[in-house]
Amino acid sequence: MNATTVAGIQNGKHIYAIVPSETPDNYGEIGINGCIVYKVQNGSLAAVVSDITVRRLRPERKNLAAHNHVLKTILNETTPLPVSFGVVANNQEQVKAILKRHEDTLSEQLDRLDGKVEMSVRVALDVENVFEYFVANYDILRNARDQIFSKGRTPSQDEKIEVGRLFEKILNTERERYADNLTNSLEDICTEIKQSPLRSEGELAHLTCLVPRQKIALFEKCVEMQAEEFSDDFAFSLNGPFAPHNFVEMRLDF
């Protein structure tokens, strides 16, 4: 969820999430700088906040860790609408005004995400050299590589670029295939599935999934079964449950 970040105030309310009003009034001293985390309610909605007494909230590791810990704690009670780090309201009245102004949209999102969590699964090649792996396993790429280096000749820059393009084409085709196969295996378990950006050359698939809480174990088992079908050249990474950051579709303006 995006929002307007208000900088330069001295006694603001840092907003962690939006939740239904039927949630705990107080989550204890788990907020940024050890502050008490509590809810500010307006009608059927509430914002989970803590007091901020600095002019600008910096995205330092300890602050980000505290923010994420609060979201994880809330997730034990209900599925929140997570708010991006650093969103600060001037005071409690402004928090209530935000809840009132966006009541319909926030309520709709809470209803859609109720009882669900975010899970993430990645598939990556666990090899020293991704290019050499594809050369060893794809004849067309191996033949193209061998041809430009045949008889000890020095390949031209254009030839190297052409082989690079062939590698990228094969890599992208395989990424699409792995992502589609993994999606097909999980789609009956998940409410929604999104393909997320890949972080490295060797990463083949990264799915972010919205999963009903009662199906988390089934989701994990399905991923484990998929992993068992692959050789040791592949690594599966399963993470979650998280608050559904990637499935909140709104902008929260002050």
Side-chain angles (χ1 to χ4, degrees), residues 1 12 40 42 69 72 75 157 164 187 189 194 227:
M1 176 187 292
V40 174
N42 186 81
H69 178 62
K72 185 175 181 180
L75 193 62
Q157 186 65 22
E187 61 183 359
I189 301 172
K194 294 184 177 182

Side-chain angles (χ1 to χ4, degrees), residues 40 66 68 108 170 181 206 213 222:
V40 174
N68 290 329
E108 180 182 339
I170 293 172
N181 288 343
H206 176 197
R213 288 178 185 265
C222 185

Side-chain angles (χ1 to χ4, degrees), residues 134-135 137-145 166 170:
F134 278 90
V135 166
N137 287 276
Y138 295 84
D139 292 342
I140 186 173
L141 183 59
R142 181 170 60 255
N143 293 337
R145 193 277 309 269
L166 178 58
I170 293 172

Side-chain angles (χ1 to χ4, degrees), residues 109-122:
Q109 290 290 301
L110 283 169
D111 288 343
R112 183 173 69 86
L113 299 175
D114 183 39
K116 304 176 183 70
V117 297
E118 183 174 310
M119 302 290 290
S120 172
V121 57
R122 296 176 184 268

Side-chain angles (χ1 to χ4, degrees), residues 3-4 6 15 18 42-43 45 89-107 250-254:
T4 303
V6 181
I15 305 175
I18 308 299
N42 186 81
L45 299 176
N90 288 320
N91 47 47
Q92 184 165 302
E93 288 67 33
Q94 188 175 51
V95 174
K96 291 183 177 181
I98 293 169
L99 295 174
K100 183 177 181 179
R101 183 179 306 119
H102 300 282
E103 181 178 5
D104 291 343
T105 302
L106 294 172
S107 296
M250 70 186 76
R251 181 176 181 83
L252 186 64
D253 294 314
F254 286 14

Side-chain angles (χ1 to χ4, degrees), residues 4 8 12 16 19 56 60 102 105 113 125 237:
T4 303
Y16 297 89
V19 296
R56 183 179 296 276
E60 299 173 356
H102 300 282
T105 302
L113 299 175
L125 280 168
S237 176

Side-chain angles (χ1 to χ4, degrees), residues 7-75:
I9 60 176
Q10 295 182 342
N11 295 290
K13 307 294 180 184
H14 179 256
I15 305 175
Y16 297 89
I18 308 299
V19 296
S21 60
E22 305 85 8
T23 52
D25 293 332
N26 188 309
Y27 290 89
E29 297 177 353
I30 63 172
I32 293 172
N33 297 324
C35 290
I36 295 174
V37 174
Y38 59 97
K39 74 177 183 183
V40 174
Q41 183 175 339
N42 186 81
S44 62
L45 299 176
V48 179
V49 307
S50 66
D51 295 339
I52 291 293
T53 57
V54 295
R55 293 184 62 82
R56 183 179 296 276
L57 188 59
R58 297 182 180 277
E60 299 173 356
R61 180 177 298 180
K62 65 177 183 178
N63 292 338
L64 293 171
H67 183 89
N68 290 329
H69 178 62
V70 171
L71 291 176
K72 185 175 181 180
T73 301
I74 299 170
L75 193 62

